[in-house]
Structure formats: structure tokens, C-alpha cells
């Protein structure tokens, strides 16, 4: 997921923070070292925040498109032989599909985490991510201890992160 993010999450967080501080899109574009002297930094600039969110969603849709393309071409090419030689081929393909879908969904969740980070909600985002990671590790350990299949291991590992995206989206919508 971090590989496909390409550093956009931190960049968008910073740009959202500039909009939250009151800068217009033109002022954000012209930032070199410090905000312009004529910047209104007392109130969030709603227009800037809206345009930044719109751009973030568009860029992440393209990132998701590329990630899905690679997963559906290169990923399948690399997995054809190992999965065809396994005793549960169809089950393993289903596992791979769930992994690809959930991973791309979680990657798209960076839209919401970067927005919240830019809106000075870093601690909240980190709490959600920590809680998701703990649930994911706990679920994976249970699946491994019960000797469940790869399918269930992926479900238990990815599900807390998928739920985290919904929670972050909810928190971002509260701020709008």
C-alpha cells in the first residue's frame, strides 16, 4: 500500500493544512518557504479545501487504477503456477481477489487520513490506525492458532483496516 501511495498522502496533508490555515489555491501554489504576507490565516479557506479534496480523490482514483492493473496483470502472472499447483486453487484465487480488493480500498482510504492529518487530527488518525493494526494482528494470530486457511487469514488481517477506512471517512465528513 505504501509503495503505490508514492508520497501523495503526506503531500496532500500538507496542502490541506495550508487550506485549513486560510490560504487560497493560488497562495498555496506560490508557497516556496513561508506563506505569503497577504495570506488570511485566521479562517479555513473552504473553497481551497473543497478543491484540494476533489483533486485528492481524482489522483487516488488513478493510483487505484494503476494498482489494480498491476495486481490483475503482474500479480496474476506471478501467482498462476503456485496457485495451480496448490490443493485449493479456487479458494486461493478467491483469497487473492479479496486481498487485491481490500488493499486497493485501504489505499484509497489515504484520501481520508491525509485530509484528517492536514486538519490537525493526527492523534485521532494514529489512534484509529493503531487500533486497526492491533485488531489485525490479533485476528491473524487467532487464525494461525486455529490453523485456518489462507482465505480466513487474509480476511482477519484486512478487515480491521477496511473498517478503519469507513471510520476515517466518517471523521472526515464530520469536519466538512
Amino acid at each position: 500500500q505504501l509503495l503505490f501511495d508514492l508520497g501523495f498522502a503526506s503531500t496532500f496533508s500538507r496542502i490541506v493544512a495550508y487550506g485549513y490555515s486560510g490560504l487560497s489555491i493560488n497562495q498555496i501554489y506560490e508557497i516556496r518557504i513561508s506563506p505569503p504576507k497577504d495570506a488570511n490565516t485566521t479562517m479555513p479557506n473552504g473553497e481551497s479545501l473543497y478543491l484540494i479534496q476533489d483533486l485528492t480523490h481524482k489522483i487516488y482514483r488513478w493510483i487505484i487504477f494503476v494498482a489494480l492493473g498491476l495486481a490483475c496483470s503482474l500479480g496474476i502472472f506471478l501467482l498462476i503456477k503456485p496457485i495451480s499447483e496448490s490443493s485449493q486453487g479456487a479458494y486461493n484465487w478467491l483469497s487473492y481477489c479479496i486481498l487485491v480488493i481490500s488493499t486497493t480500498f485501504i489505499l484509497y482510504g489515504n484520501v481520508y487520513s491525509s485530509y484528517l492529518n492536514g486538519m490537525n487530527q493526527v492523534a485521532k488518525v494514529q489512534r484509529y490506525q493503531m487500533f486497526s493494526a492491533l485488531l489485525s494482528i490479533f485476528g491473524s494470530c487467532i487464525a494461525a492458532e486455529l490453523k485456518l486457511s489462507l482465505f480466513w487469514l487474509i480476511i482477519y488481517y484486512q478487515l480491521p483496516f477496511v473498517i478503519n477506512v469507513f471510520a476515517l471517512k466518517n471523521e472526515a465528513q464530520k469536519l466538512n
Side-chain angles (χ1 to χ4, degrees):
Q1 294 157 358
L2 291 175
L3 176 67
F4 285 108
D5 183 62
L6 305 172
F8 281 111
S10 58
T11 300
F12 283 122
S13 293
R14 191 170 36 262
I15 293 170
V16 167
Y18 290 141
Y20 184 64
S21 71
L23 297 180
S24 70
I25 290 295
N26 290 335
Q27 291 170 323
I28 293 171
Y29 179 74
E30 294 178 10
I31 288 178
R32 298 292 180 255
I33 296 173
S34 61
K37 303 235 184 295
D38 63 339
N40 171 21
T41 57
T42 58
M43 297 274 301
N45 188 319
E47 181 184 356
S48 293
L49 291 173
Y50 174 78
L51 292 171
I52 293 164
Q53 274 187 306
D54 188 49
L55 178 64
T56 305
H57 284 279
K58 286 178 184 174
I59 288 177
Y60 269 96
R61 282 187 203 115
W62 277 105
I63 292 171
I64 295 302
F65 180 74
V66 170
L68 279 173
L70 286 173
C72 292
S73 58
L74 185 61
I76 290 172
F77 174 75
L78 293 173
L79 291 174
I80 284 177
K81 187 175 181 196
I83 289 180
S84 65
E85 293 175 357
S86 73
S87 62
Q88 297 179 329
Y91 213 46
N92 290 337
W93 281 118
L94 179 62
S95 301
Y96 180 68
C97 288
I98 289 172
L99 181 68
V100 168
I101 291 167
S102 62
T103 300
T104 53
F105 184 76
I106 294 164
L107 178 61
Y108 191 77
N110 286 349
V111 168
Y112 306 112
S113 63
S114 63
Y115 179 74
L116 288 167
N117 283 331
M119 297 292 278
N120 205 21
Q121 302 292 313
V122 177
K124 187 178 289 186
V125 171
Q126 292 301 313
R127 277 193 300 272
Y128 276 112
Q129 289 176 343
M130 185 227 18
F131 187 66
S132 298
L134 287 173
L135 284 176
S136 180
I137 292 168
F138 184 69
S140 299
C141 288
I142 289 173
E145 185 64 32
L146 296 175
K147 296 181 179 27
L148 299 178
S149 67
L150 176 65
F151 173 81
W152 290 108
L153 183 64
I154 289 172
I155 294 288
Y156 287 129
Y157 184 79
Q158 295 288 88
L159 186 61
F161 294 114
V162 169
I163 293 169
N164 183 48
V165 172
F166 287 110
L168 292 176
K169 180 180 180 182
N170 185 45
E171 291 294 332
Q173 288 174 338
K174 287 179 188 177
L175 294 177
N176 289 335

